[in-house]
Amino acid sequence: MKILSIETSCDETGISIMEAKGGIKDASFKVLANNASSQIDVHIPYGGVFPALAKREHIKNLPIILEKTLKEAKLDKKEKPIDLIAVTYGPGLEPALWTGIVFAKELADKWKVPVIPVNHMEGHMVSPFGKEKGTFKILKTNYPVLSLLVSGGHTELVLAKKVMDYKIIGQTVDDAVGEAFDKVARMLGLPYPGGPQISKLAEEVRPKEKQSPFSLPRPMLHTKDFNFSYSGLKTAVLYLVRDLQKENPNILQNEKIKSQIALEFENAAVECLVHKTKKAIEQYKIKTLIVAGGVAANKHLKEEIKKITGKKAKLLLPAKELSTDNSLMIGIAGYLNYIKNKKKVPRLSSIKATGNLSL
Ligand code: KG4
Ligand code: ZN
């Protein structure tokens, strides 16, 4: 069947079309077209995503991307080009989510096709199976599966003892790790999104100085639970920068100092993620570890995670293009849910944007 998927939860407008077949354990996909429009440039002056602007940009871009995607998939002349529409309904920015949902409902009415609402975090979870082009399959996965989901809005450890059965065993008690990367980048005068910028700075000094001369806290590292906290770490960077600026107001013009701060921040942020993930792998005898979400693109995190999985657990990571938000992952999760629910979908009128949707 042909599935069209729509992602508008944050600052990326994405639409893709895939041909999907098979069951939840052996589904296979062929990408027919995949397009996206990033709003990063629009949000840079605000240092983060500005919801009203995100909504405006999604509304403007959705019809343009749809036309391009249908054309590329060679479906634009068909009356009913698609069999199923998958759309993100949460979590995310509600004004942004609504644009995708309204758009999906209009298409569903026009083409008389069902709509399956998709949880964005489940999308991230299946992203390691996807490819930007060509064909791919859901790989055979051994359970229990642990997912470390790390994005701009989420930091959570999700346990699945069986297929598509999720339990959040730990999460951030305040800020998400991606949000901390973004805020620290801002403190260092770097543009949004901050994760790749911080990572680039840190990598400039990492090969030479494994340890930074600065020292930042590792919040909640030794708590018995699987939770995280990033607000205190972010504030510690704020105080560090403030103290350094007292001695030298132009300190942030010193690239080396900035890189050393970025290195210590990245080390602290990653150490907390890796430590709790390792504990969860041991406690739940995890066979497969998935690390996904925008922060999964972080090189240092990937390297440190590889050290803890070893031979015990198989590590699944998304391709770089599929770690940040994209519509392909929504199509994969949408199809799997459609099959799992025996092709039952909710009434169109009951599909609503749910900003704080949980797994
Ligand atoms: O999953 P995503 O694209 O959007 C959300 O659902 O939030 O994640 C975006 C987050 C941003 O906070 C961004 O700074 C972070 O992912 N990010 C990174 C890297 N690339 C993106 N963080 C650290 N290192 C990276 N290389
Ligand atoms: Zn995301």
Side-chain angles (χ1 to χ4, degrees):
M1 66 185 302
K2 288 193 178 59
I3 171 160
L4 177 133
S5 49
I6 304 172
E7 160 60 36
T8 64
S9 69
C10 191
D11 59 355
E12 179 93 5
T13 320
I15 300 184
S16 51
I17 300 175
M18 290 186 287
E19 177 81 54
K21 58 179 188 209
I24 46 176
K25 288 190 180 160
D26 64 353
S28 63
F29 299 83
K30 180 175 178 198
V31 180
L32 302 180
N34 171 29
N35 287 297
S37 162
S38 164
Q39 306 176 358
I40 286 177
D41 292 345
V42 180
H43 297 292
I44 279 181
Y46 302 88
V49 181
F50 193 71
L53 268 188
K55 175 181 168 178
R56 191 192 73 187
E57 289 297 303
H58 286 311
I59 291 174
K60 189 177 86 190
N61 290 324
L62 279 167
I64 303 170
I65 301 179
L66 175 70
E67 205 185 304
K68 188 167 175 232
T69 309
L70 286 171
K71 206 174 258 167
E72 268 176 40
K74 301 192 173 57
L75 300 170
D76 58 325
K77 305 259 160 31
K78 293 206 174 152
E79 234 169 62
K80 186 193 164 197
I82 297 295
D83 304 299
L84 174 69
I85 299 173
V87 63
T88 308
Y89 76 113
L93 302 169
E94 286 200 359
L97 289 163
W98 271 119
T99 64
I101 294 172
V102 169
F103 195 72
K105 288 182 182 182
E106 281 169 7
L107 290 179
D109 263 344
K110 186 168 141 195
W111 293 334
K112 304 281 170 278
V113 292
V115 173
I116 182 101
V118 176
N119 183 315
H120 181 84
M121 300 317 288
E122 192 174 15
H124 277 302
M125 231 187 268
V126 297
S127 65
F129 300 115
K131 277 196 203 146
E132 258 202 315
K133 284 189 199 132
T135 58
F136 57 86
K137 262 187 88 138
I138 297 293
L139 301 175
K140 191 178 173 302
T141 327
N142 290 324
Y143 286 80
V145 175
L146 180 71
S147 300
L148 171 66
L149 303 180
V150 277
S151 70
H154 290 80
T155 308
E156 52 195 24
L157 277 169
V158 184
L159 175 70
K161 287 193 174 159
K162 53 183 199 248
V163 68
M164 296 171 88
D165 177 37
Y166 309 118
K167 185 177 171 213
I168 298 175
I169 58 164
Q171 59 192 318
T172 181
V173 297
D174 40 53
D175 292 352
V177 60
E179 188 183 347
F181 267 93
D182 293 336
K183 287 187 175 155
V184 167
R186 223 165 133 179
M187 291 172 203
L188 299 181
L190 302 166
Y192 171 83
Q197 304 277 340
I198 294 273
S199 172
K200 199 167 148 239
L201 272 187
E203 289 307 322
E204 273 167 25
V205 286
R206 183 179 300 288
K208 272 187 251 133
E209 26 188 318
K210 290 224 159 13
Q211 288 292 318
S212 167
F214 302 112
S215 161
L216 291 167
R218 271 74 174 149
M220 297 187 74
L221 191 68
H222 296 296
T223 55
K224 286 209 169 72
D225 52 30
F226 296 105
N227 289 338
F228 308 95
S229 165
Y230 282 98
S231 163
L233 175 58
K234 171 195 75 187
T235 312
V237 178
L238 185 74
Y239 290 154
L240 170 64
V241 172
R242 200 187 57 186
D243 291 347
L244 289 169
Q245 279 174 329
K246 267 189 206 148
E247 282 170 37
N248 174 2
N250 299 323
I251 195 79
L252 290 183
Q253 281 163 23
N254 184 327
E255 284 300 312
K256 187 164 179 203
I257 297 278
K258 261 178 21 182
S259 297
Q260 287 168 334
I261 298 172
L263 177 68
E264 174 62 6
F265 167 75
E266 189 176 78
N267 284 347
V270 166
E271 192 177 328
C272 298
L273 292 176
V274 173
H275 184 82
K276 292 277 165 99
T277 306
K278 181 169 186 273
K279 244 178 62 170
I281 291 178
E282 285 160 6
Q283 181 162 331
Y284 292 99
K285 303 197 171 29
I286 295 301
K287 299 235 174 72
T288 308
L289 174 68
I290 289 173
V291 182
V295 184
N298 186 274
K299 186 168 175 253
H300 181 56
L301 173 62
K302 286 194 267 196
E303 283 170 3
E304 293 302 301
I305 281 284
K306 277 178 195 154
K307 290 183 194 162
I308 61 158
T309 41
K311 288 192 186 107
K312 271 182 267 159
K314 183 173 175 190
L315 175 62
L316 298 178
L317 284 164
K320 191 154 188 181
E321 314 76 50
L322 291 181
S323 59
T324 45
D325 291 349
N326 64 86
S327 59
L328 282 177
M329 67 184 196
I330 303 305
I332 304 169
Y335 177 73
L336 296 179
N337 275 289
Y338 188 63
I339 298 299
K340 183 184 161 215
N341 299 343
K342 302 195 169 52
K343 305 192 176 178
K344 269 204 231 91
V345 292
R347 265 182 305 118
L348 269 195
S349 60
S350 71
I351 303 176
K352 293 192 165 65
T354 314
N356 59 358
L357 182 68
S358 178
L359 270 167

